Amino acid sequence: MIIQKYGGIAMQDHQSRKLIIKHIQRAIKNHEQVLVVVSAMGRRGQHYSTDTLLDLIPTTLSSIESDLLSACGELISASVLCAELKKGGISTTVIYGKNAGIITNEAYGNANIIDVNTNILNSTFNDFPCIIVPGFQGISEKTNNFTTLGRGGSDFTAVFYGHHLKAEVVEFYKNVPGVMTSDPSTNKSVELIPVMSYEELQTIISAPVEIIQKRAAKFAALYKVPLHIRSLYEEGDGTFVFH
């Protein structure tokens, strides 16, 4: 079983999601089971992105209301991708909220995970080779409200499940071939780094852009979760990160 994580750029339109479906089909063929973690679609200005949704309310403060609204973006993504997979003949389902098993404190906007229950996910794999989980969110232990895990929280969702479900690898699909020696948008002579350690990932995680969420990278290093950072658009080898 493997984990695949798709960000906002991958989820933003039907053409990109057709590529996602191909990657999922390959994962089912090669690994039998795949847990897909999705972010909200696109970036600010696009209808269902997290920032666009948050612009609907008159406050920038994290709250029950802002986390509930934020969580909608990933729920929309999960629903759309699931419907498209079913149309393509792929047996899949969405698991979200309390059933997804991530229990947090009440620190809205940047919640900490305090418990996890993967029983429903594990049992659902008996009936579906593909499960889609909305990233970035959990359920508060005390109130059962939606909570969110901070910017880039879908990355943390993917790595967290990777550890607790004992996945073979967690794949991150990007608009670049993998981890590069510098920013490909400003330097044409960049090269792909095919293999790197968790420590090496930590040193370049914010340069030039955050490759994956820092919190997710630290968790992966702590629990030795194998990572594969690869292109959505190309069939290259990408970058493997492990101990």
Side-chain angles (χ1 to χ4, degrees):
M1 190 275 285
I2 70 169
I3 312 290
Q4 292 185 337
K5 189 268 175 175
Y6 296 98
I9 298 300
M11 287 297 302
Q12 67 183 338
D13 55 44
H14 181 65
Q15 287 303 115
S16 294
R17 293 193 299 274
K18 286 172 67 175
L19 298 175
I20 291 175
I21 291 171
K22 289 182 179 179
H23 290 302
I24 291 172
Q25 288 174 317
R26 181 179 61 195
I28 293 172
K29 179 180 179 181
N30 294 338
H31 304 277
E32 297 185 357
Q33 297 173 335
V34 55
L35 182 77
V36 178
V37 178
V38 294
S39 297
M41 296 179 185
R43 297 289 183 262
R44 172 173 268 131
Q46 294 176 280
H47 292 304
Y48 307 114
S49 74
T50 300
D51 286 325
T52 301
L53 292 172
L54 287 174
D55 285 342
L56 295 171
I57 57 177
T59 178
T60 58
L61 299 177
S62 296
S63 63
I64 293 174
E65 296 78 21
S66 64
D67 272 23
L68 178 58
L69 184 58
S70 297
C72 292
E74 279 71 18
L75 289 167
I76 292 169
S77 285
S79 301
V80 170
L81 183 59
C82 185
E84 291 176 343
L85 285 164
K86 286 182 176 180
K87 184 179 179 181
I90 301 171
S91 179
T92 186
T93 190
V94 176
I95 294 182
Y96 63 96
K98 193 170 185 179
N99 287 341
I102 292 180
I103 308 302
T104 76
N105 62 7
E106 286 70 51
Y108 296 103
N110 195 27
N112 289 317
I113 299 175
I114 58 177
D115 198 9
V116 61
N117 186 333
T118 60
N119 290 341
I120 291 178
L121 289 171
N122 283 321
S123 63
T124 302
F125 272 128
N126 293 327
D127 300 313
F128 297 92
C130 177
I131 298 172
I132 303 173
V133 175
F136 177 59
Q137 58 193 247
I139 296 294
S140 67
E141 181 183 39
K142 294 181 179 179
T143 65
N144 286 327
N145 289 322
F146 275 107
T147 55
T148 60
L149 307 177
R151 288 285 172 176
S154 293
D155 290 351
F156 187 47
T157 304
V159 175
F160 188 80
Y161 279 132
H163 170 61
H164 286 280
L165 292 172
K166 298 179 173 59
E168 297 169 48
V169 67
V170 179
E171 296 182 332
F172 290 86
Y173 285 85
K174 303 285 187 175
N175 59 352
V176 291
V179 182
M180 313 301 288
T181 52
S182 63
D183 186 354
S185 67
T186 59
N187 186 348
K188 301 302 180 184
S189 61
V190 297
E191 296 181 0
L192 174 72
I193 303 172
V195 178
M196 64 195 316
S197 67
Y198 297 111
E199 290 74 20
E200 289 169 328
L201 178 63
Q202 295 281 340
T203 63
I204 65 169
I205 195 149
S206 297
V209 293
E210 193 168 87
I211 299 164
I212 68 170
Q213 187 202 47
K214 291 179 183 178
R215 189 178 181 185
K218 289 179 180 179
F219 186 91
L222 179 63
Y223 292 101
K224 304 298 184 287
V225 181
L227 309 179
H228 188 189
I229 301 167
R230 58 191 308 186
S231 172
L232 175 69
Y233 307 101
E234 303 172 5
E235 293 296 332
D237 292 332
T239 302
F240 289 93
V241 183
F242 52 84
H243 182 61

